């Protein structure tokens, strides 16, 4: 059987969904958008295909037979730092949060618009792409504070010289905070500035802050760099206080209070 033509430099997307109709529609839209598309209907097949032909991005259904999408995401990201967009059923907020916790970069709820999904794919890949060599003369300066160093062009982050394994959104969030130390940002502002969304599930921001703290803080339970600002959101302290003035329970309570506040946006994802 003749293999489909692959344009030089085309990005490869692996679509993992056990519903053949959904998989076919998604693959069709991605193909027309210029992507090379692989498909898998279950977890083991997805892991095998990803190992055989490393994808640039994975569109992964949460509900899969045998091995669910959470486990597939966990195993896949343990092998390769591939961006993941997870497909979840509408209303399964706990599952969406779990997906973000295991390393998904984005999620789309079913039923969804295939065009919206393609836009999400383009957005995630655009943020994941390092700067081209010819862009080197205008390469942004390194960002750094409190032992952290970020190279936005190379999309590389280190803490005390050791490289950090960050997802795309975690990297973008850390970069934004390093560029704006000392200012408190609401979750709505962070979603707009980091995610590029004017609306959405604000718990996404909370989850990513929690994951980022786990990688950049000396003691994530008592964060000193990424502070929770009651009633507002978060602030990055470039020169954290050495006093024991951060209470873990208070910080966690503040995050919980923000997440349980009513979301009145009728367009929220």
């Amino acid at each position: 059987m003749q293999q489909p033509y692959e344009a030089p430099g085309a990005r490869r997307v692996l679509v993992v969904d056990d519903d053949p109709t959904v998989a076919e529609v998604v693959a069709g839209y991605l193909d027309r958008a210029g992507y090379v598309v692989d498909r898998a209907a279950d977890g083991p097949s997805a892991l095998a295909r990803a190992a055989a032909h490393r994808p640039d991005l994975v569109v992964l259904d949460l509900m899969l037979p045998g091995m669910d999408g959470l486990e597939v995401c966990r195993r896949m990201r343990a092998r390769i730092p591939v961006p993941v967009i997870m497909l979840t059923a509408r209303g399964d907020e706990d599952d969406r949060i779990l997906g973000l916790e295991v390393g998904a970069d984005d999620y789309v709820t079913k039923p969804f618009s295939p065009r919206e999904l393609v836009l999400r794919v383009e957005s995630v890949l655009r943020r994941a792409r390092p700067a081209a060599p010819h862009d080197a003369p205008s390469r942004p300066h390194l960002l750094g504070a409190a032992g952290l160093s970020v190279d936005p062009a190379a999309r590389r982050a280190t803490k005390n010289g050791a490289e950090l394994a960050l997802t795309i959104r975690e990297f973008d969030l850390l970069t934004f905070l390093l560029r704006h130390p000392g200012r408190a940002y609401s979750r709505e502002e962070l979603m707009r500035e980091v995610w590029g969304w004017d609306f959405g599930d604000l718990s996404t921001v909370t989850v990513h802050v929690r994951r980022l703290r786990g990688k950049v803080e000396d003691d994530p339970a008592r964060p000193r760099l990424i502070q929770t600002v009651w009633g507002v959101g978060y602030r990055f302290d470039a020169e954290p206080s050495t006093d024991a003035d951060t209470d873990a329970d208070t910080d966690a309570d503040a995050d919980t209070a923000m997440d349980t506040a009513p979301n009145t946006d009728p367009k929220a994802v």
Side-chain angles (χ1 to χ4, degrees):
M1 180 178 177
Q2 185 177 3
Q3 295 296 320
Y5 171 73
E6 296 186 12
R11 294 299 192 102
R12 182 181 295 273
V13 178
L14 174 59
V15 177
V16 187
D17 199 307
D18 63 321
D19 186 327
T21 301
V22 172
E24 184 175 354
V25 170
V26 170
Y29 271 80
L30 290 170
D31 179 71
R32 287 191 290 275
Y35 296 100
V36 176
V37 183
D38 291 332
R39 289 169 53 178
D42 55 53
S45 298
L47 295 174
R49 286 189 178 277
H53 300 284
R54 178 172 174 170
D56 294 292
L57 182 142
V58 179
V59 176
L60 177 63
D61 186 29
L62 179 65
M63 301 300 295
L64 293 171
M67 182 188 302
D68 65 23
L70 294 175
E71 183 62 24
V72 174
C73 183
R74 187 179 293 110
R75 295 190 186 189
M76 194 172 291
R77 288 198 55 84
R79 298 178 183 179
I80 53 176
V82 59
V84 175
I85 295 179
M86 192 160 282
L87 304 180
T88 69
R90 187 176 299 279
D92 292 341
E93 181 178 357
D94 290 343
D95 289 336
R96 293 200 300 272
I97 291 176
L98 283 173
L100 296 171
E101 290 280 14
V102 300
D105 295 277
D106 203 349
Y107 66 84
V108 176
T109 55
K110 295 182 177 180
F112 58 87
S113 162
R115 291 182 179 179
E116 177 194 354
L117 178 58
V118 172
L119 290 175
R120 294 286 184 96
V121 169
E122 292 174 348
S123 173
V124 171
L125 286 176
R126 184 169 56 251
R127 291 176 178 272
R129 183 182 292 116
H134 60 73
D135 293 334
S138 60
R139 183 185 182 115
H141 294 297
L142 297 179
L143 302 170
L148 297 171
S149 178
V150 168
D151 184 339
R155 296 193 68 84
R156 182 172 182 266
T158 61
K159 176 184 178 182
N160 298 327
E163 188 152 2
L164 296 171
L166 302 179
T167 66
I168 291 171
R169 299 298 186 187
E170 290 167 359
F171 182 92
D172 292 341
L173 179 58
L174 177 59
T175 301
F176 181 82
L177 293 173
L178 282 172
R179 282 180 172 149
H180 305 280
R183 175 181 167 181
Y185 285 90
S186 68
R187 293 187 303 164
E188 291 87 350
E189 289 176 313
L190 290 174
M191 178 162 283
R192 183 171 61 252
E193 298 294 335
V194 178
W195 276 257
W197 303 347
D198 289 325
F199 59 89
D201 183 353
L202 296 179
S203 64
T204 298
V205 177
T206 309
V207 172
H208 278 81
V209 168
R210 184 163 59 244
R211 283 181 55 85
L212 185 58
R213 280 172 171 163
K215 298 177 181 181
V216 304
E217 299 280 0
D218 292 332
D219 182 0
R222 296 181 179 277
R224 299 192 180 279
L225 298 175
I226 305 175
Q227 297 284 346
T228 298
V229 181
W230 272 90
V232 180
Y234 301 100
R235 182 189 68 243
F236 181 82
D237 288 344
E239 297 181 0
S241 170
T242 57
D243 298 330
D245 56 2
T246 302
D247 183 82
D249 292 334
T250 299
D251 193 86
D253 288 345
D255 290 345
T256 302
M258 286 193 292
D259 272 339
T260 55
N263 186 348
T264 59
D265 190 339
K267 299 182 293 182
V269 176

